[in-house]
Amino acid sequence: MWCDDAALRALLLKADVPAFGTVALLRCLTDHDDYSEFTHERYRRDLRTLLESYVVDLPVTTDEITDLAQAQDWTPVAAAAMFARRQFWANEALRSRWTRIAEKVWENAPARSRAGSTTRSLGR
């Protein structure tokens, strides 16, 4: 069953119902030579499209997240969606990723964006 809800997919798998998500499908299409249009570059573009659509739990890099943030004028929208999930903050490796992304934003964003991001992160 094609299912992008991780919790529901886990329940399906526990009930012995084969399940997979969009990222697994894209990865499979990319890894097999049967579909020449599914290249590694296409896979990365598809992930970017998902990231732009506020999809979370994607295998994207820190650079891909900050590239999207820059393309969106450093506003905390799609690139920041993953940080709104409680599960993100429970993972130490992911929390350190947030630190690296925040540092890149601070170094590169215009002063007006940095001030707004700081205010928003403090809940003001």
Side-chain angles (χ1 to χ4, degrees), residues 26-27 29-31 35-49 64:
L26 292 172
R27 185 80 253 163
L29 291 170
T30 301
D31 289 346
Y35 307 98
S36 60
E37 67 270 24
F38 287 95
T39 63
H40 180 71
E41 292 76 24
R42 163 85 184 262
Y43 174 73
R44 299 313 310 173
R45 280 195 317 272
D46 290 343
L47 288 179
R48 167 76 180 237
T49 299
E64 288 168 321

Side-chain angles (χ1 to χ4, degrees), residues 10-79:
L11 288 173
L12 289 166
L13 293 171
K14 190 174 182 178
D16 294 325
V17 176
F20 61 93
T22 298
V23 174
L25 174 63
L26 292 172
R27 185 80 253 163
C28 183
L29 291 170
T30 301
D31 289 346
H32 290 85
D33 294 333
D34 299 339
Y35 307 98
S36 60
E37 67 270 24
F38 287 95
T39 63
H40 180 71
E41 292 76 24
R42 163 85 184 262
Y43 174 73
R44 299 313 310 173
R45 280 195 317 272
D46 290 343
L47 288 179
R48 167 76 180 237
T49 299
L50 291 170
L51 186 62
E52 289 170 346
S53 301
Y54 297 79
V55 175
V56 296
D57 300 329
L58 295 171
V60 292
T61 66
T62 299
D63 287 339
E64 288 168 321
I65 294 168
T66 53
D67 288 347
L68 177 58
Q70 182 178 18
Q72 296 179 331
D73 197 28
W74 300 105
T75 56
V77 287

Side-chain angles (χ1 to χ4, degrees), residues 97-118:
R97 174 184 273 193
W98 179 87
T99 302
R100 292 190 311 275
I101 292 168
E103 288 169 351
K104 281 190 167 201
V105 169
W106 188 258
E107 292 167 2
N108 295 294
R112 64 173 170 70
S113 294
R114 287 197 313 260
S117 294
T118 302

